[in-house]
Every structure is written in structure tokens, then in C-alpha cells.
Amino acid sequence: MGEGTPDRMVCTACGATTPIERVPSTCPECDGILDLFLGEKAGDARAPSPAGASEGLWVWADHLPHCKPQNRITLGEGNSPLLAAPRLGKALGVDDLWIKNDSLQPSGSFKDRAVALATSLACEYGRDAMVLSSSGNAGASSAAYAARAGLPLFVLVPKTAPPAKLRQIVVAGAHLVTVDGQTHDCCRLAKEAAETMGWVNLTTTYHNPYGVDAYATIAYELAALKPDVLLLPISSGPLLGGMMKGFERLKRLGLVDRIPRPIAVQTAACAPIVAAYRSGGAVEPWAHQHTIASALNDTLAGYERDGDYTLSFIRRHGGAAVAVDDQAIVEAVRLTAACEGVVLEPSAAVPIAALRHARDALGITGDERIVAVTTGHGLKDLSTVEEAALPTPIAPEFGALEPLLKRTY
């Protein structure tokens, strides 16, 4: 890296420093969450500015960990569409609503940002395999990037993971392991496997500390819009933590004059961070329940501290945390698609559901600019569209078609 301090990982609990060359998952001293500190050559000397779309996430290379160009693994991730959503806003009673559609990534979810960076570091530091726990999206993403890098990958998923996401994992050649348990069981096993085998842990909780700074790139892409409020779907919350780190960096550089308020949205069936926000206390593990928002169904059992770390960003920046039920989520999927043509999986639609069904808790005023970050493509999970909603075939004659046309217009 030349002169200056190197990239390093610092524990948020005990303060111990770990060299990034170890590609660590958690603190070797106390198992705490690691925070990435960039070296001088990759730090705040220059404002974040993209170099070229073909580089994927690495257009922000000066604000990511050092990685030689030949080890930068990309499928063209990042730079997702930022869409004004006036029709949806009108339906929800919001004047200035935008959608940052991060579902339009190579594997169909925002996870590609975190996985691209962690896979690149695995190549940079000579690791020969990777492993992760996933409810589906991170596994599909990791399978794609592992194939791109030519690295073996083991994906541990709970038995409740959506079949469409499992097919994405299998088709890319990853080793899929279905666990008769919950997401937190898979997370524990992935951590043990990474430590035992010396592999990189891609699990996109805070067990993948590089992913947090990969999500900071969303903040860089949003900076010019100057949002007031961010609506974010979360389970453990590295998306929120990363975006807040990104805006904090922009503020230090004088590129934004304020940091938007983060609002974390969870499903009511699994809302440990919302419960802690309401009580003012620490995060406690949630009892597992079924929810249509499977990507958010992480009880945080065994790593509740991840939720506490996310809460620290929410509280520091005057944010909030709310929960919405499955019925509201289904309604949000349909409303977003019908109003704006944006088709989302249920977990990605929870920010839209919050605008309609948890409005009082959001503290939004009429003149604020709101950005909903949507995180997973609807083609991954169309369980919200019942087969009964599909039409029966008609005879191939205009006489059969004409009544339908006249009924519509």
C-alpha cells in the first residue's frame, strides 16, 4: 500500500486491533464485532467519486480496503437505480418519496455489495474456500461470486429457505447444506466451520465486517439527493450500520451538511431490534415464528450484540425502529408493483408497508425527502401472488376477448 497506515480491524468491544490480512470474522480476543478502519491511502484524503461503471463496487476503491486490481471480484454490482416514486407516494400520502432499488444487482439482492468485497479479500489474502449462513439471498449472491472467483463455497440454509433462492445457489455450483434448524443455528455452524477450516466467513451479519463498509457505497450513491429519512429493511442490521458509516464519512469530508435519520423496519414476527428500541434496553433473542418476509426472519439468538450495534447507529442519528405484519407486507408488494412497476420480494417491501401502517411511529413531516431502500427482487419470491389470481384461459377468438376489453375500459 506504500506509505501510511494499513487497513485494520478494531474491536468495538475490547478495542483490540486485528490485521486485515487475517480476513477475520469477529475479534480473536473477545469475539466482539470488528470495525474496519481504512489506512491513509484509502481513507478520507479524497471525496468518494466513481471511476467507471465497469468496475462494479470498485469504483469506490479509495474508500474500500486495499485490494490489488487482479483480485477485485465483480459482477457489475452497485450503482442501482434511484427512482422518484410519485404515484406510490401519493397512495401513501408522501410528497417526496424515492426508491433506491438495490434489488437490481447481479444476483437480485443488495447482498452482492458485501459479498463482492469479502470475496475479493479472500482472493487478496489467499484463502482457499468460503462458507456462510444464509436465509437465501446471501447464499445466492455468494454462490455467484464464488463461481466468478473460482473458489469453493459452502452455504448453510435453514429448511424454511425459499426454493427459488436455493436453485440460485445450486445452479452456480456451490455446496448447499440444508440445516434442520433456524437461521441462528446456521450462523453458529458457519462460524465454527470458518474457524476450524481457516475459511472466510461470508455470513452477512456483522460476522462479515467488510460488508458494512460495502454498504456505505449506497450512501455515496445517494449523497447528491440529500435525503432526510432512510427506510431500511433489517434483520441484524449491517445495511443500516454501513449506510450510516458512509454518511458519517461524507459529513466529515464536508460533502453533506446533515446525516439522514435511519428508520429500521422489521417484520412483526421477528422484531428483536424494534422491541429493544421501544423498551430502551438491550436486544434480546426472539422466539422463532413464521413470516412471509423470510429474509428478515433472524432471531439474533447468540449474537444479540449485532442488534445492539445497529441500535447504536439508530439512536446516535435520531432514528427509529418499527415493525409491520405479513398482511401489510403483502399489500406493500402489490402496491409498489402496481404504482411504480417495481417488483419486490416480501422482505424488501417492508419499508413501503411501514409508510402506510406505521406512519405515526416514523416521525416523518410533510416536507421531508424519504428514500426507501429495497433489497430483493420479486422474482426470488412471488408467494404473495396466489394462483387463484391468475386468469383462466379463454378461447382463441376475439368474441371471447372483447367482453374483457370492454369491462376494463
Side-chain angles (χ1 to χ4, degrees):
M1 288 183 63
E3 298 179 358
T5 58
D7 300 334
R8 63 198 187 280
M9 311 300 297
V10 178
C11 180
T12 60
C14 73
T17 297
T18 302
I20 196 171
E21 289 85 354
R22 296 177 64 173
V23 200
S25 176
T26 58
C27 176
E29 300 296 327
C30 74
D31 198 39
I33 295 172
L34 293 173
D35 191 9
L36 172 65
F37 282 79
L38 299 175
E40 290 180 7
K41 291 292 185 182
D44 291 344
R46 289 186 289 172
S49 64
S54 63
E55 298 180 57
L57 193 77
W58 293 101
V59 301
W60 307 108
D62 283 348
H63 297 270
L64 295 172
H66 174 73
C67 185
K68 292 186 286 292
Q70 63 267 32
N71 291 326
R72 296 173 182 176
I73 306 302
T74 181
L75 287 167
E77 65 290 330
N79 195 32
S80 56
L82 178 59
L83 307 171
R87 296 186 69 236
L88 181 60
K90 184 177 180 180
L92 297 171
V94 175
D95 292 332
D96 197 0
L97 177 63
W98 295 73
I99 294 173
K100 179 62 169 168
N101 192 7
D102 228 48
S103 71
L104 292 181
Q105 297 295 339
S107 79
S109 89
F110 79 114
K111 302 284 189 177
D112 288 354
R113 295 180 189 257
V115 171
L117 179 53
T119 303
S120 298
L121 293 178
C123 294
E124 177 75 6
Y125 296 114
R127 297 307 177 94
D128 56 8
M130 304 181 294
V131 64
L132 80 156
S133 161
S134 174
S135 60
N137 279 337
S141 176
S142 297
Y145 283 87
R148 182 74 166 167
L151 289 176
L153 172 73
F154 282 79
V155 184
L156 311 181
V157 301
K159 61 182 179 180
T160 54
K165 297 178 183 180
L166 302 186
R167 294 186 183 100
Q168 273 190 278
I169 295 169
V170 171
V171 75
H175 302 281
L176 177 65
V177 180
T178 302
V179 177
D180 188 9
Q182 310 305 330
T183 299
H184 66 267
D185 296 310
C186 297
C187 190
R188 172 177 49 80
L189 290 172
K191 185 175 185 295
E192 291 177 9
E195 292 172 350
T196 301
M197 305 300 292
W199 295 346
V200 171
N201 188 350
L202 296 182
T203 302
T204 53
T205 60
Y206 289 103
H207 286 86
N208 179 349
Y210 328 100
V212 178
D213 281 70
Y215 295 139
T217 61
I218 305 176
Y220 306 153
E221 294 171 16
L222 285 176
L225 186 68
K226 298 183 178 180
D228 297 299
V229 178
L230 301 173
L231 289 171
L232 307 170
I234 67 164
S235 50
S236 61
L239 170 64
L240 187 150
M243 290 188 65
M244 289 299 99
K245 280 192 72 175
F247 276 108
E248 288 170 354
R249 183 172 296 154
L250 292 169
K251 184 72 160 50
R252 288 197 305 271
L253 292 168
L255 298 175
V256 297
D257 55 10
R258 66 182 185 279
I259 295 174
R261 298 197 319 277
I263 296 178
V265 189
Q266 297 192 290
T267 168
C270 188
I273 293 176
V274 175
Y277 170 78
R278 290 173 176 169
S279 71
V283 171
E284 298 181 359
W286 197 267
H288 184 266
Q289 304 172 46
H290 172 76
T291 173
I292 195 171
S294 60
L296 304 182
N297 201 8
D298 187 345
T299 66
L300 304 189
Y303 45 99
E304 298 88 347
R305 51 72 187 291
D306 283 24
D308 291 326
Y309 190 52
T310 297
L311 262 177
S312 71
F313 286 101
I314 295 171
R315 289 168 174 158
R316 183 158 73 244
H317 294 293
V322 300
V324 290
D325 63 25
D326 279 10
Q327 184 176 348
I329 295 169
V330 171
E331 178 186 338
V333 169
R334 295 173 177 171
L335 186 65
T336 307
C339 288
E340 302 294 348
V342 177
V343 181
L344 303 171
E345 67 168 322
S347 299
V350 298
I352 308 303
L355 275 176
R356 170 159 284 187
H357 294 279
R359 182 70 175 276
D360 291 343
L362 303 183
I364 293 173
T365 61
D367 60 347
E368 289 187 302
R369 174 163 287 173
I370 303 163
V371 175
V373 179
T374 55
T375 51
H377 201 287
L379 294 180
K380 288 174 169 283
D381 185 352
L382 284 175
S383 58
T384 56
V385 182
E386 299 176 358
E387 287 191 20
L390 303 178
T392 55
I394 65 169
E397 301 170 356
F398 186 74
L401 176 61
E402 186 175 19
L404 300 178
L405 303 179
K406 292 181 175 178
R407 188 190 320 168
T408 303
Y409 292 97

